Structures are given as C-alpha cells and as structure tokens.
Amino acid sequence: PPPPLPTCPPHPLPYHPPLRPSPAPPMRPPPPLPTCPPHPLPHHPPMRPSQTVPPSLPQPRPCQPPLRPSLGPLAPMTPAPPPALWPLPQNAKSGILRGSCRTMGANKGSFDVMFGLSELECQLRCESNSLAVCVAFEMSISICKLHKEPIRQVYRLPGHVCRIKPLPHLIADFVGELFVDGIENSPNPPTPPLSPPGTSPAFPPKPPQSPPEPLTPPQFPRPPAPPPPPRLWPLPHSLKSGMLWGSCRPRVASHGSFDTIVGLSELECQRRCESNVNAFCVAFEHSQD
C-alpha cells in the first residue's frame, strides 16, 4: 500500500458569537397621492324609461364601415398631344415660303440668338418671352433667332425657316417674298403647243436673211477723262460740340437696326450704303475693330 499522506494541523478560526435576530421596524403606510378636483359635468336630470335622448346629445350610431364609391375599371391615360408649330407664311402668288426673315426695307432686323435648340423649343422660347417682344422666330440647323421687329418679307434660303407669331396685326404686316436685288422673278413663258402634222406651224417661218455686210475696222472713241475720286461724306457737327466722332445712335439711344460687313475700308463702306438697292441705308458707321 502507498504511504499515508502528511496531514496538516487544523487552522484556528476566530471566534464569533451567535447573531441574534433584530426586531423588524414597524411598517408605515405610504403617503396618500394628490387628488385633482372633480371636473364639473353638465347636470342632466335623470331620464325616465319613456323619455328619448335629448337632441343636444349626439345620437348613438351603429358601427358600420364607411362606404366607398366604386370607381370601376380605370381608363387608360392618353398623353397630351404635342404643341403644333406655327404655320409658315404664304401668299397667293408665291405659295408657302421657306427662308430667312426680313423686316421693313429688306433688313435682317433685331433679334436674339440661341444655340442648341430644336424648332419646337425655339417656338416655346418665343411664346414664353416675358416682355412680349418676340414677334417671330427663324430656325437654321440648331441656331434659333428670336425676332423683335415685325416681319415683312421672306427671302428664300435653303435650310432656313421663318415662322410668324399667329396674331392678326403681325400677319397683316406680312407682304410676301423678297427676291434677289428687289426684283420679282417672272415665271418662264409658256411653251407653245406643237402643231399636229399637216397643219401650219405655231410660229410663222423666218424671212430669208440678206448676206452679211463686209466688216469695217471699228472706230474706238477716245476714252473719257477718269472721274475724280469720290469724297467721304462730312462728319456730323453741332454749334456746341463741333465735329463729332463716335458711334451712331437713333432717337431712343439704342444701337438700332443695321447690317454688318467685315473687311471694308471707310470709302468702300460708303459706296455700299450709296448702292443700296432698296435705298434704305441712311448712314454708315466704320470702326477698326
């Protein structure tokens, strides 16, 4: 058998006297809760069995679910049609006109330019003009021009469309088509019908021509003296300010209506104003920039 294990002597524990039960403290009742004064209720006399509910009190109603009106099957929603474009200008002689807008005097007029718009968006910009100064619009590729002056004519130009706002006073100002150099192109003369065989021709025969006369050397007259070079128009002046150099301004102190030509000298600019076909050029302004 294995040898016995060594034993340790018991550890001395401190002495504690036995505990005596302490008497429990007396239980006190909890303090009463604060009470609110009773709410004054309207006085109603006691009801007898034969009496009904007075009309001042709400009548009891049975609990019923609210009735909902039957809408039936929903109809399919149709999208609103897109706004239509304004009609193209036309007259009895030339028909429907497609081209560039022209104001009085065959001028391009005053307009605002916007880029990257479609033809319908350009029309909506003209309709929503806050100052109501847009009277027509011109569309070419993606360039939108909002015109501010009444349109008188349309110059036929490929890729351009001019549409006038459909108002009576603006349509009444429209005259018709603007032709090159202000001259109306007359239609080609009708071709005469061919005469059937065995009948007289539509045109009488030409008489026989005499032999040509011998040619004589031409006599050239002496060339006339060259005219003196043109002079520039005088500058405007006044008694108070003297000779005036500057930019032209009309009555309302705005830029007015004008055509711009680049790369001309002052004398060439004056000749363009003198040779204006419609005689609508009243002055010219020349600058180096």
Side-chain angles (χ1 to χ4, degrees), residues 113-118 121 125 139-140 142-145:
V113 181
M114 297 183 177
F115 298 92
L117 300 181
S118 64
E121 292 173 344
R125 290 294 182 93
M139 194 69 194
S140 59
S142 60
I143 302 176
C144 171
K145 299 180 181 179

Side-chain angles (χ1 to χ4, degrees), residues 206-211:
K206 296 182 179 180
Q209 298 180 356
S210 59

